Amino acid sequence: MSGRVGRWGFAALVWGMVGMMVVLPPVMVFAGALAHGLRAAWDGLCDPDALSAIRLTLLITALAVAINSFFGVMAAWTLTRFSFPGRGLAIVLVELPLSVSPVVGGLVWLLVFGTQGWWGAALERWGYPVMFAPPGILLATLFVTFPYVTRTMMPMLRHMGRAQEEAAVMLGAGMWRVLWHVTLPGARAALLSGVLMTTARAMGEFGAVSVVSGHIPGLTETMPLHIETLYNGYQTVAAFAMAALLALMAMGVVAVRGLVERTALRMGKIA
Amino acid sequence: MSVRLEHLVRRVGGRPIVDDISLEVETGSFTALLGPSGAGKTSLLRIIAGLDGHDAGCVFLNGARVDMLEARSRNIGFMFQNYALFDHMTVARNIAFGLSIRPRKTRPTRAQIAARVEELLDLMHLPGMGGRYPHELSGGQRQRVALARALATGPRVLLLDEPFGALDPLVRRSIRGWLRDVHDRLGLTTILVTHDRNEACELADTIALMRDGRIVQSGTPQQLRDAPATPFAMAFMQDVTRLPGRVAAGLFIADLPDMRPVPAQGPDGRAELLVRAGDVRLLPGQGAATAWLRQTYGPIGTFDVMSGPDTLRLDALIPPGAARIVVNCALDASAGRVARDGQWLGGAGDGGDSDDNDDGEMTDPACIAPVVANLSKP
Amino acid sequence: MSVRLEHLVRRVGGRPIVDDISLEVETGSFTALLGPSGAGKTSLLRIIAGLDGHDAGCVFLNGARVDMLEARSRNIGFMFQNYALFDHMTVARNIAFGLSIRPRKTRPTRAQIAARVEELLDLMHLPGMGGRYPHELSGGQRQRVALARALATGPRVLLLDEPFGALDPLVRRSIRGWLRDVHDRLGLTTILVTHDRNEACELADTIALMRDGRIVQSGTPQQLRDAPATPFAMAFMQDVTRLPGRVAAGLFIADLPDMRPVPAQGPDGRAELLVRAGDVRLLPGQGAATAWLRQTYGPIGTFDVMSGPDTLRLDALIPPGAARIVVNCALDASAGRVARDGQWLGGAGDGGDSDDNDDGEMTDPACIAPVVANLSKP
Amino acid sequence: ATTLLNVSYDPTRELYQEVDRTFAAQWARTHGGAPVVVRTSHGGSGAQARSVQEGAPADVVTLGLAYDIDMLAAVGLLPANWQGLLPHNSTPFTSTIVFLVRKGNPKGIHDWPDLVRDGVQVITPNPKTSGGARWNYLAAWGWALRQPGATPDTARAYLRSLFAHVPVLDTGARGATNSFVQRGTGDVLLAWEDEALMAARDIGPDQFDMVVPPLTILAEPPVAVVERNAKAHGTLDLARAYLDFLFTDAGQRIGAKHYFRPVTPSILAENRATFADTATFDIASLGGWTQVQKTHFADGGVFDGIYAR
Amino acid sequence: MAGHGAARQGAGGHAPFTLWRRRRDGLPGFGVGLSLTLGWLGVLVILPLLALLARPWAQGVGSGLGAFAHIVHDGRMLAALRVSFVSALVAAALDVVAGVVIAWGLVRARVPGWRVIDALVELPFALPTAVVGITMATLYGPHGWVGAPLSHLGMKVAFTPLGIVVALMFVGLPFVVRTVVPVLRALPPEAEEVARTLGATRAQVVARVVMPALYPALLTAFAMAFARGVGEYGSVIFIAGNQPYHTEIAPLLIVIRLQEYDTQGASLIGLVLVAIAMASLGVIAWVRRHVGRGGAGGAI
Ligand SMILES: Nc1ncnc2c1ncn2[C@@H]1O[C@H](COP(=O)(O)OP(=O)(O)OP(=O)(O)O)[C@@H](O)[C@H]1O
Ligand SMILES: Nc1ncnc2c1ncn2[C@@H]1O[C@H](COP(=O)(O)OP(=O)(O)OP(=O)(O)O)[C@@H](O)[C@H]1O
Ligand SMILES: [Mg+2]
Ligand SMILES: [Mg+2]
Ligand SMILES: O=S(=O)([O-])[O-]
C-alpha cells in the first residue's frame, strides 16, 4: 500500500462516513435551533410546557436509570455468577426488549394497564391511573431501556472473573459489600457505558412513550414528544432548540463517561 | 487451628473432581498440596475455604464441623493464584478491607486499622507503599500485599493457591524463604497448593501428593522422595528415566541389550524400570554399549548411550577416569524400581530407602536433563 | 541458516531495552536466550523476526544483511508464547496458512498443501487432528500445532518465545525432548527464549544469559555454570547461598563468626560470598556453631546453623557419621566466590572450575532449599 | 387549580390555544377568581380517540369527525346520543377541504381533475390514522361520484389515480402540512380550509396560494363532553361550560379568527371575506359516518382496495 | 449456625450421608440476586409479553385464529413486513461495512481526529428518534442539503425505500461501532504478527486473520442493528413515505391497526414482529456458535 496516500485516503473515507452518517443530522438540529439566534432558542426552552417536559424527562430518566441500573446490575451479576435451571432463558428474556419494536413496547403496557387491558379499569377505579400518566411513561421507558445495563455488564463481569469477589468474601464481606466495594468499582466502565446508553435512550425514547403518553402538554409530554408538538405547531426554532438541548444532555453523559474512563485509566484500571 | 478433612467428595457434572479425600493438618504445620494440573488441588482448597460446596464428607476446623458455615464466617486467610487484589483500591485499602467492612460494633477505629496496615506493610517489607495501586507494584510486591490482606483480619489458617505461579524465578526463590518465615513467626497453619515439587519440598513439613482428585501419598518430603507409593509419585517427585522391558523368572530384563537384569518379584510379563536420574552406573568393559558424555554436573553426566539398535539419553554417574566416550560398557540400574500398570511390582527395589544413597552419590540435581526414553521411535 | 547480530540497539521511550547486543548463532545450533523477566529476550527475538525495528546495529541471516527486509520475507518460523493460533481456522488450515497465502505462481497445489499438512501432523504426533479447532485441543497439542504452522513454509530458522510457559510441568518435560528431536531431525537453527534455566540447560547447545537488555555471558551451559561471569550469572544459573561479610588483607571474613576466612583479592571493604548450595562443608569440633539437620538429599543436607546470635539455613555436605545435630562446628565455604557491587573481586575462587568438584560432591540439587540469608533480621 | 383536559385533533392547535386562554379568563371572572387550567392535547383524530378509549383522562373531546366520538360512546364513555346534546349537531365550527399550492400555482391546479395530471405530486395524510385525511378522501370521492356518468367504479378509479400521485402518507393532518410547508414536498396539499388559510396567510404568504375547488365536502368536526371522565374528575359543569363557550359569539369569533367557519350565521357573515363561497356536500349525503367507515376505511374497505394489488 | 447439628451428627462416624445437605456453592447472595432478577424480569418483560401473547385470543381462540389467518393472507401486511425486514437487512449490512471502516479508523489506523470521532459516534444514540426522522426527511427531502444535489443526479431518497434504509443506518451505526471497537482493540496482535512471519501481506492479514476474528462480533452487531431496524418507528415514518405495499413499515401497521380500534390485529402484528426478530436473533446465535467457532467476539 502506498503509505502516505493510502493513509490520508483512508482518513478521508472514515471522516466522510462519519460526517454523512453521524454528524450531519445533529448539525442540522443545531443549525435549526440557532436559526434565529441564541435568544430565540433560549426563549423556546423557557416556555412553561417546555420546562415541564424537561422536568418530566429528567424525572423519568432518573427513575428509569436508577431502577434499570440497580436491577440490571443484580441481573448481570446473578446471571454471570450463578448457574441455575432456566438461566439461558432468562438471558434471552433480558435481551428481548432490544429486538421488540418500541411501538410494541408501548402497546404491551396498554394491554396490561389500559382501560381495555387486564388491570387498567380496576386501577382507574381505585384512582391510580397508570396509562397516559407519568407511571405509564416510566413503564414504557423501563421496557425500552431494560437490557442496556445488563448487556454491557455481563461480558465485563465474565471477563473480570470472580476472584476478587471471592477474595472479599474470604475477608468477611457479604453479598452487598462484595457488590459495592468490589464488583461495581471493577466493572465501573461497563456500568457507565450501560448507564449512558440507558440515559440516552430514556431521554430520547419516542415510539413507546408516544403510545402511552396521551400527549398532554404540561402533564405527560416528555421532551421528544414536546419537540414533535412544537414542530407541528410551526415552532421550528423552539423544536430544534429542545432537540439540541436533548442532544447536549446526552453528549454531556458521554463526556462524563469519557472523563471517568480517563481517570480510571490513570489509576490503571483499564476496562 | 487444625484442619481435618474426612472423606470429602465434590462432583462436577457427575465426575468426582475431589474424590474421597481425608487429610489431617495439624495446628502450626505447613502442608503442601502437590500435584499435576487438574489434580483437584484448587478444588480441595476452595472447599476448605468454603468457597465451593461438597457432596459428601466433612470439614473440621479445630475439631468443629464447619460444612454449613459460610466462607465469610470461617476466618480463613485465602490467597489466590493471581492475587486477586482489588485493582481500584490502594495497597493500604486493600489490606484494610477485611477490617473496614466489619459491622460497626466489632470494627476497629480508623486509627487502629491504619496502625495495623502499617504493621503489616512493615512485616511484608513494603514500607511506604500503602498509597500505591496494585498495578504500580511488581509481581513480588503484589504477592506480599495479597498476603498482608489475607493476614489483616488475623486468621489462624492460611490457604495459598500457587502463590508463586506468576513470579520471576529469582523473585520466587527469595520470597519462598520469607513466606516460611512469616508462617513460623505468626504461628499460622498453612496449606499451600503448588505443582512445583521444589517449592513443596523446600517450604512444607508435609506434602500431600494429589492426582485425579485423590491423595496418592502424604508425608514429609523425605518420605515421598525415598519411598514413593506409586511410580507416579516417584516420577513426580524426581527426574526419572523409564526403561521398558519385561519380568521373567524374578528378573527384570530391559529391552536395552546392555542393561544388567534387576531382581523383580511378581508375575512375568511386560514391565518398566524407573530409576532416578543419576542412579544409573556405567560399567566400562563389561558390555557392548557406547556412551558419549554430553554434559557434566559434578559427579553426574548426561550420556547418549548406543546399545544395540537404540540410542538413549540418560544421566549416569561418571565412571572414575572416564573420557568423553565410554566404549564397551554395560549399564547397571539396580537402584531402580520395577512397575507395571502404574503400580510397583511386589517389593522390587523397595529397599531403595534414602540410606542407600548416602555413599556420596547425588540424587536429585536441578540442572539435569530428565530423559523420557522412547525406544519405540524410529 | 546462521544468524548474526551486531551491536543491536532498540530504544523505547529513550530507554534502551535492547542495548548493544552482538550474538552469533551458527547454522544448526540450538541457542537459548535466558534471563529474568524484563531482560529484553522477547524484544530481541522480535527484532530478529523483523516484527520490531531497531535503532542501531545490524541483523544478518546467512551472512546477508536483512535489516530492511519485511518480516514476511525473512522466512523465519516464529512461535509465540501463547501460540497465537488462528481460532477461527481448523488445525489443518492453521498449518496450511503460510502456504495457501502464497501468490499463485509459487503456491503449491491443494493436494500438495494437504500432503504437507498431513506430513507435519504426523511429525508432530497429531494424527487425525486436522479437522479440529484450536479450542478443542489441550495445551500441549496447541503448542505442537503452532510449531507445525511455523514449520510448514520450510523456514531454516525457528524462533520460540517461551514455548512451554503455559504447560503442565509433566507435559512440559515430555515435550522438551521431542522439540530437541524435531530440531535435530530437520536440521533447524533454533533460538529459544526462556527464563527457566533447567529448560535452557537441557535443550540448548549455547546459552546467552541476558539482563537489562544486555548479554551478560554466553557459552555452553557447562561454561555458564562453571565460570559465571558475574554474581548475577552464578545466582541465576544455580541455587546459591549469599553470605555477607567483608574483605580485609586478602581475606574474606564472613559476618557469621564460625565461618572460615576465604582468600580474596581486592581492596578492603564490604563484600559477599556466593557459594553453591551444597558447596559448604561443616567441620565438626572446629568451631562454636550448632547445626540441625532438617532434610537430606543423598550426601547433602539442609541445616539450620546457629552461629553467634544468628541462625541461617543452608545446604551443606553431611559430615561422615554425623547425627541430627552437629555441635561445635565451623563452616568452610572456600569453594565460593567473593563479589562486590555485582562484580567478582579479582580472581577470588575463580579457580573453581568444574574439575574442582569432580571428587564426588554434588553441585546442583533440584530439591534443595535456596537460602537467602538475611542476617540483619531480628 | 382545576384542570380540564381537551383531547383534540391536529389542525386545532392554534385555535384551542386561544380558546383555552380566553375561556379560563372568563371562567375566573364569572366564578370569583377560581383558577382553571385548560390543557389541550393534539394528534391525529383517530389516535386521539383511541387514547381516550384506552384511558386518557379527557374531560372533553373535540375531534375531526363524529365517528371517532361514536367509538367513545361505544365503550360507554359518553351517551350514545351525544351528538344531540349540543347545538348544531355538536359541531361548533365547520370547514371544507381545499388545495394549497406553491406560490403562483405553477402547476395550474384548479379542480380535482388537475390533481391526477402527470407530474403532479399530492400531499395528503393517511386516512387510516388521520381524520382530516378521511375528509380529503371523501371530498375526492364525493366529487368523483357527482361527475356525469359516474359510478362507484369510476370514483374508485379516480381515487386510485389520485393516491398514485401521493408520495408520502403522513399520520396526521399537521404532519402532512409540515411535509408540504416545511420540507417542500409535493405540488399540492389537500388540507382543511383552516390549515390552508393559515399556511397561505400566516406561515408563508409569499410561498403558498390557496385554491378552492368548485365542489368540495363540508367537514363537520364535532365536540362532546366525556361524561364518565368528567364526572370522575368532578369537572362536568366546567366541561359543559367549556363546550358551550365554543357556541357563544366570543367562541365563534375566535374560531373564525383561526379560519374555522363559525356555525352562527351572523358571525359567519362577518367573515364573508375569509371563507370562499363554494358548493359543498356533507357526510350525510355519502351515507353517514358509520356507513362510510364500513365501506371505505375498515380493514379491506375501498381505501385498502385502492392500494391492493 | 446451622452447622452445630451437623457437627454432632458427623462427629462420630465418617462419610455421613445426610439428606438435607444443601451443596453451598460459590458466592453469597444467590437467593437475593435470583429473586430480584426474576422479579424485575417478571414485572417488566414477562408480564407485558404475556399480555401481548394472550391478547389475540381474548375474544376466543377461533377469533384469534381467524385474525391470524387473515394476517397471513393479508398482502399489505406481508408487504409491510417485507419492507421492514429488507430495509433493516440492507441497513444493517451497510452499517456493518461502515462500522468496520470507522472502527478500523478509530483503533488501528488512528486517523487524524480519531478521538473526536470516538466521541461523535454515539451521537445518533443521543437524538430522539422523532428528531432524527424530521431532520433526515429535511436533509434528504427534495430541497434538503443532501436531497437537492441527489435529486439533480436523478436520485430520490426521501419517501422511497432508500429513505428508510438511510434512517435505519443512522440509528444502527453506533451499535456496530460500539460492538466492533472493543473487540478490535482486544484482538491480540500476535495472530497478525504470526501471519506476517508466515509471509502474509497486509491485505492478507486483514482479510484472512483480522476479519475472521471479527466475524462473531460483526454478526452480533449485525443482529443488533437489524433487530433495532425492524422495530424502528419514530425515525422512519417521517422519511418513509408510508405508502402501502411500497414504503409502509410493519410498526406503522401496528399503529394503524390500533387506530382502527383493532387491538387484536395490532397485538398479532406485534407478536409476529417479536417472533421474527427472535427467530432471526436465534438464527444468528446459531450461526455464531456453529460457524464462527472460537474467536474473540464472545465478549459481547
Ligand atoms: N467448575 C468446574 N466445572 C467443571 N470442571 C471443573 C470445575 N472446576 C474444576 N473442574 C475440573 O476439576 C479438575 C480439578 O481442577 P482443579 O482446578 O482443582 O485442579 P488443580 O489441581 O488446581 O490444577 P491446576 O494446577 O491446573 O490449577 C479438573 O479436571 C478441572 O477440569
Ligand atoms: N512496547 C514497549 N513499550 C515500552 N516498554 C517496553 C515495550 N516492549 C518491551 N518493553 C520493556 O522492555 C523490557 C524488555 O521487555 P521484554 O518483553 O523483551 O522482556 P523479556 O525478557 O521477554 O521478559 P519476560 O520474561 O517477562 O517476557 C521490559 O522492561 C519492558 O517493560
Ligand atoms: Mg489450581
Ligand atoms: Mg518475553
Ligand atoms: O388531525 S387529523 O385527524 O385531521 O389528522
Side-chain angles (χ1 to χ4, degrees), chain A:
Chain A
M1 208 180 266
S2 49
R4 207 49 181 270
V5 179
R7 191 174 143 73
W8 283 101
F10 186 73
L13 175 69
V14 171
W15 269 107
M17 279 183 166
V18 171
M20 271 299 282
M21 297 183 61
V22 176
V23 179
L24 212 48
V27 164
M28 236 210 82
V29 168
F30 283 96
L34 300 176
H36 299 298
L38 207 56
R39 177 90 229 165
W42 180 253
D43 288 345
L45 295 178
C46 290
D47 173 80
D49 283 352
L51 289 177
S52 124
I54 294 172
R55 259 198 308 276
L56 181 62
T57 296
L58 290 179
L59 176 72
I60 295 289
T61 302
L63 284 174
V65 168
I67 293 173
N68 272 345
S69 295
F70 173 76
F71 286 99
V73 166
M74 290 311 300
W77 189 71
T78 307
L79 292 174
T80 46
R81 295 295 186 248
F82 303 101
S83 66
F84 49 91
R87 180 169 153 271
L89 180 68
I91 293 179
V92 172
L93 284 175
V94 167
E95 299 250 316
L96 191 64
L98 267 192
S99 55
V100 171
S101 173
V103 176
V104 177
L107 167 65
V108 287
W109 294 113
L110 281 185
L111 297 179
V112 179
F113 292 113
T115 318
Q116 318 278 302
W118 287 352
W119 304 329
L123 279 171
E124 204 176 307
R125 230 173 297 123
W126 289 89
Y128 296 107
V130 175
M131 291 294 102
F132 309 103
I137 298 174
L138 179 62
L139 281 176
T141 309
L142 282 173
F143 183 86
V144 169
T145 59
F146 184 87
Y148 291 106
V149 168
T150 312
R151 258 192 83 84
T152 48
M153 287 282 287
M154 276 178 58
M156 186 67 200
L157 289 185
R158 239 177 252 137
H159 172 80
M160 268 171 61
R162 49 204 291 169
Q164 289 190 37
E165 291 169 8
E166 289 180 340
V169 169
M170 288 314 297
L171 292 169
M175 166 196 183
W176 297 111
R177 286 189 191 278
V178 167
L179 277 172
W180 183 250
H181 290 292
V182 179
T183 313
L184 286 186
R188 185 175 34 191
L191 177 62
L192 260 165
S193 259
V195 168
L196 158 76
M197 290 204 208
T198 308
T199 313
R201 186 80 205 264
M203 290 191 307
E205 181 47 35
F206 175 78
V209 170
S210 98
V211 175
V212 298
S213 135
H215 302 256
I216 309 167
L219 279 185
T220 63
E221 266 190 354
T222 58
M223 287 171 76
L225 298 184
H226 192 62
I227 291 169
E228 195 203 18
T229 298
L230 289 172
Y231 185 77
N232 282 341
Y234 297 114
Q235 291 169 275
T236 321
V237 167
F240 280 119
M242 180 150 288
L245 176 65
L246 205 45
L248 280 178
M249 282 160 57
M251 283 153 79
V253 184
V254 177
V256 165
R257 184 182 69 157
L259 225 83
V260 174
E261 260 173 16
R262 220 160 308 135
T263 353
L265 214 71
R266 227 178 301 125
M267 283 168 51
K269 277 281 304 114
I270 303 142

Side-chain angles (χ1 to χ4, degrees), chain D residues 235-253:
Chain D
T235 51
L236 200 55
D237 291 340
L238 184 64
R240 288 196 175 125
Y242 178 74
L243 292 188
D244 288 341
F245 173 75
L246 297 177
F247 292 92
T248 63
D249 285 358
Q252 291 285 300
R253 283 206 181 88

Side-chain angles (χ1 to χ4, degrees), chain B residues 10 12 15 17 36-43 162 195:
Chain B
R10 172 176 165 86
V12 174
R15 195 169 66 89
I17 60 173
S37 192
K41 310 180 291 296
T42 299
S43 306
E162 307 218 1
H195 56 218

Side-chain angles (χ1 to χ4, degrees), chain B residues 173-184:
Chain B
R173 270 188 275 159
S174 87
I175 243 173
R176 277 188 208 163
W178 164 88
L179 174 65
R180 176 77 212 199
D181 196 62
V182 169
H183 163 91
D184 292 339

